[in-house]
Amino acid sequence: MNKSMFSVLLGTFALGLFFVGCDSKQEQGDAVATSKDGDKIYTVKFSHVVSAGTPKGKAADFFAQKVHELSNGRIVVEVFPSAQLVDDDKVFQELKRDNIQMAVPSFSKFTPLVKEFNLWDIPFLFRDIEHLHKVADGEVGEMLRKKIAEKGFIALDYWDAGFKQFSTNKKPIILPEDAQGQKMRIMTSKVIEEQTKAIGANPQVLNFGEVYSALQTGVVDAAENPLSNLYNSKFYEVQNSVTISNHGWLGYLVVVSEKFWNELPEDLKNVFQEALTEATAFEREEAQKDEGVLLQNLKDYAEKTGKLTIYELTEDQKMQWQESMKAIYPQFYDLVGEELIEKIVNTQ
């Protein structure tokens, strides 16, 4: 039995244990039961699309355990990893229906709801992870959460996936001009498309599942990915260089069903948020550890095989990238807003 399935069965088993002591009154349409002592027990189906062993997967399980402890068993979280319940393309409609109560989609899934979420794709906008967390946890992050709330979802904490890096089979992409003429795979994103054009590369939109073969056969020359994607999908096998550029960030936003949240008593809302705050700190720490491990794995592979070269940008090279990318920021003013971009740049 794999770990993901074990996580689901464990959650289901735990739920069953709780209901042994309940009076079996399940309110129709609600994930709420009543214990023999008269306390309501709230069940949360937490869906996500990655494996249980990733930082996001580990944090989901951490949250389930922590909120159970802090609520004295009144909140039971069943975690469903690897899109076992629903993938992120349909997650919002399932939250609306309260078929699931909790999810943590990537930022790209929020852009159709709130266009300002495109800001996370703007290249070299964030100086480092500390700057990024100050933005996410500060005024800008709160503004985005409120916009999501206006769409009927309760937006809570931001989790990390990691900074994106360049990889290629042609000239190593160390400075912007090095990308000239290279065919680069990108996600569907207006911001990333303009970024790619600005450095003279040719953007090629491909589904993630097609990337390995496209790199292998030369359909595309280059790509941008966080280390977790680059390593776990083995893109390094079909690329000859990786540049640790940290030019853009991939992240997640924890959201819950509005119906579930409105039914949750205030004292349990406080417990829920307390547990999530701890889970967020845990997830971010795990994401940082994961990046360090994956980078070392890539370096070991490069040294062992001689088939891969890893480049890390100097501060001067980063400054050249930042200056080059600032020239295209005005193109995103209508999409994201000039004031919002300036607010991020000026966040200390």
Side-chain angles (χ1 to χ4, degrees):
M1 182 183 299
N2 63 39
K3 187 175 182 181
S4 296
M5 183 58 68
F6 177 76
S7 176
V8 175
L9 293 177
L10 182 62
T12 304
F13 176 69
L15 182 60
L17 289 179
F18 281 113
F19 287 172
V20 166
C22 295
D23 63 7
S24 299
K25 290 190 294 185
Q26 184 79 24
E27 300 178 15
Q28 187 174 5
D30 292 334
V32 180
T34 305
S35 74
K36 63 182 180 181
D37 297 324
D39 290 331
K40 287 185 176 180
I41 297 174
Y42 296 82
T43 303
V44 177
K45 291 184 175 67
F46 186 171
S47 174
H48 65 79
V49 300
V50 299
S51 72
T54 62
K56 181 162 72 169
K58 291 177 183 178
D61 292 339
F62 177 97
F63 170 76
Q65 179 180 352
K66 181 59 64 173
V67 77
H68 172 254
E69 292 173 358
L70 294 178
S71 69
N72 293 318
R74 291 185 63 197
I75 300 177
V76 178
V77 176
E78 297 176 299
V79 180
F80 295 86
S82 303
Q84 291 173 357
L85 281 186
V86 61
D87 64 35
D88 279 352
D89 289 332
K90 297 179 180 178
V91 72
F92 294 113
Q93 69 185 46
E94 296 306 310
L95 285 165
K96 279 284 190 183
R97 295 169 178 168
D98 201 37
N99 288 334
I100 61 172
Q101 289 71 48
M102 190 172 183
V104 57
S106 62
F107 288 156
S108 63
K109 303 304 179 183
F110 291 92
T111 54
L113 296 176
V114 176
K115 66 178 184 177
E116 287 84 357
F117 263 81
N118 284 284
L119 70 84
W120 304 108
D121 283 333
I122 296 177
F124 291 95
L125 185 59
F126 303 101
R127 295 186 293 273
D128 49 37
I129 194 67
E130 288 76 20
H131 177 221
L132 188 146
H133 285 160
K134 286 180 180 179
V135 171
D137 297 337
E139 183 181 354
V140 172
E142 177 62 18
M143 180 274 288
L144 293 175
R145 284 195 294 267
K146 287 180 179 178
K147 285 185 174 290
I148 292 298
E150 292 170 3
K151 303 297 182 179
F153 306 97
I154 305 302
L156 297 173
D157 286 6
Y158 295 93
W159 288 6
D160 291 347
F163 279 104
K164 293 184 291 185
Q165 323 299 345
F166 289 120
S167 65
T168 183
N169 270 325
K170 291 197 170 181
K171 183 178 182 180
I173 302 174
I174 299 172
L175 295 176
E177 57 265 28
D178 295 330
Q180 185 75 34
Q182 297 200 39
K183 295 174 291 184
M184 183 172 294
R185 181 268 170 178
I186 65 168
M187 300 184 296
T188 302
S189 166
K190 180 64 175 176
V191 172
I192 298 175
E193 181 181 349
E194 293 304 320
Q195 162 202 294
T196 306
K197 290 178 179 178
I199 59 178
N202 300 317
Q204 308 287 320
V205 177
L206 290 174
N207 292 330
F208 188 76
E210 302 174 32
V211 176
Y212 185 96
S213 62
L215 293 170
Q216 185 179 41
T217 59
V219 171
V220 294
D221 308 308
E224 57 164 24
N225 285 287
L227 290 178
S228 57
N229 287 352
L230 193 151
Y231 187 82
N232 292 324
S233 297
K234 300 186 177 182
F235 296 156
Y236 61 88
E237 293 180 345
V238 288
Q239 300 274 258
N240 58 33
S241 74
V242 172
T243 300
I244 307 302
S245 52
N246 293 334
H247 61 277
W249 188 57
L250 289 182
Y252 312 109
L253 176 61
V254 180
V255 287
V256 299
S257 157
E258 188 176 50
K259 182 178 185 296
F260 159 75
W261 192 252
N262 288 341
E263 293 175 351
L264 198 64
E266 285 301 318
D267 62 324
L268 290 185
K269 286 179 182 176
N270 293 333
V271 166
F272 194 100
Q273 185 61 75
E274 181 182 351
L276 185 58
T277 297
E278 291 192 39
T280 297
F282 173 84
E283 195 278 341
R284 290 177 176 181
E285 183 177 348
E286 285 295 307
Q288 287 295 293
K289 289 179 183 176
D290 197 51
E291 282 205 329
V293 169
L294 294 179
L295 179 56
Q296 187 57 54
N297 288 347
L298 283 173
K299 289 180 176 179
D300 292 344
Y301 171 84
E303 182 177 357
K304 180 179 179 180
T305 66
K307 296 179 179 180
L308 182 72
T309 304
I310 299 174
Y311 299 90
E312 299 191 49
L313 297 182
T314 66
E315 289 302 314
D316 180 65
Q317 289 165 343
K318 290 178 185 177
M319 287 295 296
Q320 291 185 58
W321 274 101
Q322 289 166 352
E323 290 304 313
S324 177
M325 292 296 98
K326 281 181 182 178
I328 66 172
Y329 287 2
Q331 298 180 37
F332 310 131
Y333 288 166
D334 289 341
L335 188 64
V336 173
E338 180 177 4
E339 182 180 351
L340 191 56
I341 293 175
E342 290 299 319
K343 193 180 293 292
I344 292 170
V345 170
N346 294 327
T347 296
Q348 299 298 322

